Amino acid sequence: MSHHLKDFNNKLVLVTGAGSGIGRATALKFADLGAKLVICDRHLAALEETAQLLIQKDNYPVLEIADVSDWQAMQWLADRVHAQHGVLDVLVNNAGVASSGDFLSTPIEDWRWLLDINVMGVVHGCKAFGAKMAERKSGHIVNLASMAGYYAAPEMAAYSASKHAVMGLSESLRIEFAEYNIGVSAICPGVINTNIVNVMRAHGAAEQAQAKIADIYRKRNYGPELVAEAIVGAIIHNRAVVPVSPEAWAMYAGKRFTPSLIDVVQRSKPFRKLKDYAQKH
Ligand SMILES: NC(=O)c1ccc[n+]([C@@H]2O[C@H](COP(=O)([O-])OP(=O)(O)OC[C@H]3O[C@@H](n4cnc5c(N)ncnc54)[C@H](O)[C@@H]3O)[C@@H](O)[C@H]2O)c1
C-alpha cells in the first residue's frame, strides 16, 4: 500500500500546542494549503490569537482546549473531533515544554512534568486518534522531537531524554502503522525563535542564564515557519526523520558519522569555557 497524502485541500488537520511558535506557524501553513483545522492548546488566549490569524486568511478553525498530558481530556477531545468532524488526515503532536539545568539541581517533579507533556502527550495523541486512522487505512502523524532527540546536550538531561523517547516512539510506530497506510514522521528542529525558552523551567546555573539563552534564541532568529514547511514536506514525502536548521543537520551528521569526535569536543576544556563564556555574555 502506498502513502498518498500530497494535497491538503479540505483535509482535516489537528495541531496540538497551536497557541504559539511552531504549532501556530504549522496551523497557518496548513491554512494556506486549504486544510480544515482543529487547533488545540491548553491556553485559551493563545489559541484565540492563532484563530484570529487564521481567520485573516479566511480559514475558520475549530478551537479545542486540552492538556495533552491528560489522557482523559485527550480521549474526550478525540471523541468530539471524530463525532463532529470525522477522522483526522493529519495529526501534529507539537505541544511541548523545555527544561534546563544540571542533573543534580533538577527536581524530580520537573522530570515528571516534562515527561508527562513531551512523551505522554505524544503517546496520548497517537493513541486517541490512531485507531480511527488505522480503521480508515490512511493518515499521517507528525511528532515534534528535536535536535535533542539524537544529541543530548549537557544540562538538558530531562529534555533530551524526552525527545529521544519521541524518536523511539515514532520509529517504532512508523513500522507498525505502515500496515495501515499511516505515515509517521519525527521532526527535529535546532534553535528556533519561539516562546519555549521564556517558559522553560530552569535550575542551577541555567536559571541565571535563562534570559541570556532567550536572547540567543531571539538573535538566532530562525523562524518557526521553516519548521512548518519541513512538516508539510515530511508528510508529502513520508520522511522518517527530518532535521530542521543548519545546526540540527550538522549535529545529525556528526552523531551519525563521528560520534566519538562530538563526545571528545563536548568534554574538552576549551568547549566548556566557550559555553560558560556564551552564557555569561
Ligand atoms: N523552539 C525550539 O527551538 C524547538 C526546537 C526543537 C523542538 N521544539 C519542539 O517544538 C514543539 C513546539 O515548541 P515551540 O518552540 O513552538 O514552543 P512554544 O512554547 O512557543 O509553544 C508551545 C505551545 O504548546 C502549548 N502547550 C504546552 N504544554 C501543553 C500541554 N500540556 N497541552 C497542550 N498544549 C500545551 C503551549 O501553551 C504553547 O502554546 C515542542 O515540542 C518543542 O519541544 C522546539
Side-chain angles (χ1 to χ4, degrees):
M1 222 174 297
S2 71
H3 190 78
H4 61 271
L5 208 51
K6 307 248 182 274
D7 174 6
F8 299 96
N9 199 33
N10 280 324
K11 292 288 185 291
L12 187 62
V13 177
L14 186 145
V15 182
T16 68
S20 172
I22 294 169
R24 173 177 288 174
T26 302
L28 290 168
K29 178 77 196 170
F30 277 110
D32 289 341
L33 300 173
K36 183 171 176 190
L37 280 153
V38 181
I39 54 173
C40 161
D41 205 285
R42 63 176 168 185
H43 290 133
L44 178 61
L47 206 52
E48 283 176 342
E49 266 181 44
T50 302
Q52 282 310 320
L53 296 170
L54 288 166
I55 289 166
Q56 282 168 22
K57 288 179 179 280
D58 268 336
N59 186 296
Y60 295 83
V62 177
L63 275 65
E64 285 284 355
I65 304 295
D67 181 336
V68 296
S69 67
D70 181 340
W71 174 225
Q72 182 77 74
M74 289 300 281
Q75 282 175 288
W76 284 331
L77 169 68
D79 288 348
R80 278 195 303 277
V81 169
H82 290 144
Q84 294 167 15
H85 310 288
V87 182
L88 295 183
D89 294 296
V90 176
L91 166 65
V92 184
N93 286 310
N94 162 77
V97 288
S99 78
S100 172
D102 61 281
F103 180 78
L104 297 177
S105 307
T106 304
I108 288 299
E109 305 85 76
D110 278 22
W111 275 86
R112 293 234 160 81
W113 165 76
L114 190 126
L115 294 176
D116 270 350
I117 298 172
N118 288 9
V119 183
M120 292 315 293
V122 177
V123 172
H124 293 159
C126 294
K127 185 110 175 125
F129 292 99
K132 293 264 186 228
M133 285 178 164
E135 238 172 74
R136 188 190 55 191
K137 292 211 176 336
S138 72
H140 200 107
I141 297 176
V142 176
N143 295 332
L144 263 292
S146 165
M147 174 169 98
Y150 45 79
Y151 159 65
E155 290 166 36
M156 293 203 72
Y159 188 72
S160 303
S162 77
K163 294 303 184 180
H164 274 69
V166 172
M167 295 296 276
L169 164 64
S170 304
E171 190 176 331
S172 175
L173 212 56
R174 180 177 168 84
I175 302 161
E176 272 190 45
F177 277 14
E179 200 179 316
Y180 307 114
N181 196 32
I182 301 171
V184 178
S185 303
I187 310 296
C188 304
V191 173
I192 313 296
N193 188 15
T194 70
N195 207 30
I196 197 161
V197 271
N198 299 313
V199 295
M200 81 176 175
R201 291 191 183 175
H203 294 280
E207 198 176 350
Q208 273 80 53
Q210 187 161 3
K212 180 68 209 162
I213 298 168
D215 204 41
I216 292 172
Y217 271 62
R218 222 175 2 260
K219 287 193 183 131
R220 170 80 178 80
N221 202 22
Y222 194 95
E225 315 74 44
L226 294 160
V227 183
E229 264 174 44
I231 288 173
V232 170
I235 300 170
I236 292 174
H237 302 288
N238 192 17
R239 294 191 171 114
V241 176
V242 182
V244 190
S245 81
E247 62 276 13
W249 273 108
M251 204 46 87
Y252 188 62
K255 286 292 278 192
R256 283 202 128 185
F257 303 117
T258 54
S260 49
L261 178 68
I262 304 269
D263 182 56
V264 169
V265 170
Q266 286 251 294
R267 288 188 291 116
S268 69
K269 266 203 183 120
F271 181 84
R272 279 186 288 150
K273 275 197 184 137
L274 190 71
K275 188 175 139 280
D276 288 347
Y277 180 84
Q279 286 193 346
K280 281 186 194 123
H281 293 80

